Amino acid sequence: MKLLRLAPENTKFGFMRFRRWSYPFSAFMSIVSVVMFIMVGVNFGIDFAGGTLLELRAKFGTADLSTLRRVGDNLGLGHLEVQGFGQPSDVTLRVGLQPGGDPAQQAAVAKLKSAIGDGYEFRRVEVVGPRVSGELVQSGTLGVVVSIFAVLVYLAFRFEWQFAVGAVIATMHDLLLTVGFFSVTHLEFNTTSIAAILTIVGYSLNEAVVVLDRIREVMKKYKRISTADMIDMSINAVLPRTIMTATTVFLALLALVFFGGEVIKSFSLAMMWGIFVGTYSSIFICSPILIYLGVRNETRDAPVNEPKQKPVQTTKATA
């Protein structure tokens, strides 16, 4: 019985020849992500922004978004967001913070339920005050910072400093591009998004460690090949494993996107993006930096198939 292989064995693809384009491209994408975050920001969910979130399902037919929006505007509750999701009968209503604290929020929910009537089933109601949302922002930010610091500590003991620098840069690259992904797609950024970011950090680190481990093994085994050839050999060796891992995780997340519901949709989509950028950075960001940091002196590396020179035999002249 043959095993399923998504990548051929013994590939010899030259990844390092693209390093002169991968770094400018990644730098450009990182700058765009930072600019988008500053200028546009992210769509903070009810967890961080505070307010009231209601998830409704029409009992008969499809949800009438325009009618729901008009009903909400007539109540004088401020800006009301109405958005369909999942099935045509599903809809979410999002109301901003009301002056007066939690009692005002509860009163707003009661007004909405009374105005909408019995034509909709209220499946979920979340009310988050400003104090709770502020604490969640602080806790989420602290969790990301602590996770990055833990990664730095781990890499300091696990690898030489050149390897550690490459893994840290690749991880930061993935975080920046993930934040830019939230800004561009305008997905709801909530506590599940923080979980996605932390998971992406772990996935990116795992991919980088796998590649760096193989590079270190090849470095000890082959002494006379160039650094670029050594890195290409290492990446090609782990390529079947990388493709298999990324594909299986992608398929699982794809199922969550279609069948997991609106609650974890942002998590699933962010993770799918994280798999792509994590695999990309481990190959085109983390690995090539070893060449620029001088892991091995490129001028002293001999070519792969360098022929050995035979000693010149000399004969003594006879008188």
Side-chain angles (χ1 to χ4, degrees):
M1 179 178 177
K2 292 185 178 180
L3 297 176
L4 175 63
R5 297 187 184 278
L6 300 179
E9 292 288 333
N10 301 321
T11 56
K12 297 181 180 179
F13 189 81
F15 292 97
M16 292 302 101
R17 63 184 177 182
F18 296 102
R19 67 181 184 271
R20 294 179 178 85
W21 292 274
S22 63
Y23 276 99
F25 173 74
S26 296
F28 172 76
M29 293 298 294
S30 299
I31 294 173
V32 170
S33 298
V34 173
V35 172
M36 288 294 296
F37 177 74
I38 295 175
M39 302 298 295
V40 180
V42 295
N43 180 25
F44 285 108
I46 194 70
D47 300 333
F48 294 146
T52 305
L53 177 69
L54 298 92
E55 182 178 319
L56 287 70
R57 170 170 291 178
K59 295 181 179 179
F60 308 100
T62 61
D64 191 346
L65 303 184
S66 59
T67 301
L68 290 173
R69 189 176 291 109
R70 184 172 59 255
V71 169
D73 292 339
N74 293 334
L75 294 177
L77 300 177
H79 180 64
L80 177 69
E81 294 184 6
V82 181
Q83 182 179 6
F85 73 96
Q87 301 177 4
S89 59
D90 294 335
V91 62
T92 59
L93 277 69
R94 179 177 168 183
V95 184
L97 288 172
Q98 302 296 313
D102 291 339
Q105 296 294 116
Q106 298 294 340
V109 174
K111 288 182 180 180
L112 285 171
K113 288 184 176 181
S114 176
I116 293 173
D118 298 331
Y120 290 86
E121 173 190 357
F122 288 79
R123 307 186 65 193
R124 181 165 65 105
V125 178
E126 292 184 6
V127 178
V128 178
R131 180 176 179 181
V132 177
S133 61
E135 292 177 353
L136 287 174
V137 171
Q138 295 177 0
S139 300
T141 305
L142 180 62
V144 174
V145 172
V146 171
S147 66
I148 295 176
F149 179 76
V151 168
L152 294 174
V153 173
Y154 168 76
L155 293 174
F157 289 96
R158 185 69 174 82
F159 293 106
E160 295 81 356
W161 71 270
Q162 296 97 331
F163 290 75
V165 168
V168 170
I169 292 178
T171 303
M172 297 302 297
H173 164 271
D174 298 344
L175 287 177
L176 287 177
L177 263 61
T178 302
V179 173
F181 173 78
F182 276 104
S183 297
V184 172
T185 60
H186 215 58
L187 285 173
E188 183 176 303
F189 192 87
N190 47 33
T191 51
T192 60
S193 304
I194 295 294
I197 290 178
L198 296 177
T199 309
I200 290 171
V201 170
Y203 183 87
S204 175
L205 176 62
N206 179 71
E207 290 297 314
V209 167
V210 169
V211 174
L212 293 177
D213 261 338
R214 183 53 62 94
I215 291 176
R216 187 161 57 178
E217 292 177 5
V218 174
M219 184 187 300
K220 295 178 180 178
K221 186 176 180 180
Y222 298 95
K223 302 293 186 181
R224 297 180 60 82
I225 63 176
S226 65
T227 306
D229 291 335
M230 176 193 66
I231 295 176
D232 282 337
M233 183 185 300
S234 305
I235 296 176
N236 282 284
V238 300
L239 189 62
R241 174 261 173 206
T242 300
I243 295 178
M244 180 65 74
T245 302
T247 303
T248 52
V249 178
F250 179 85
L251 292 176
L253 292 171
L254 194 63
L256 290 178
V257 170
F258 287 104
F259 306 109
E262 187 70 16
V263 178
I264 60 173
K265 184 177 181 180
S266 61
F267 171 85
S268 305
L269 291 175
M271 278 300 304
M272 292 173 67
W273 171 256
I275 290 172
F276 171 75
V277 297
T279 304
Y280 165 83
S281 64
S282 65
I283 296 175
F284 294 104
I285 301 298
C286 178
S287 303
I289 203 171
L290 302 179
I291 299 176
Y292 298 116
L293 293 180
V295 171
R296 181 183 291 177
N297 192 343
E298 202 67 57
T299 59
R300 295 184 180 180
D301 291 336
V304 180
N305 298 319
E306 180 186 10
K308 296 182 179 179
Q309 296 181 354
K310 295 182 179 180
V312 180
Q313 295 181 355
T314 57
T315 56
K316 295 181 178 181
T318 55

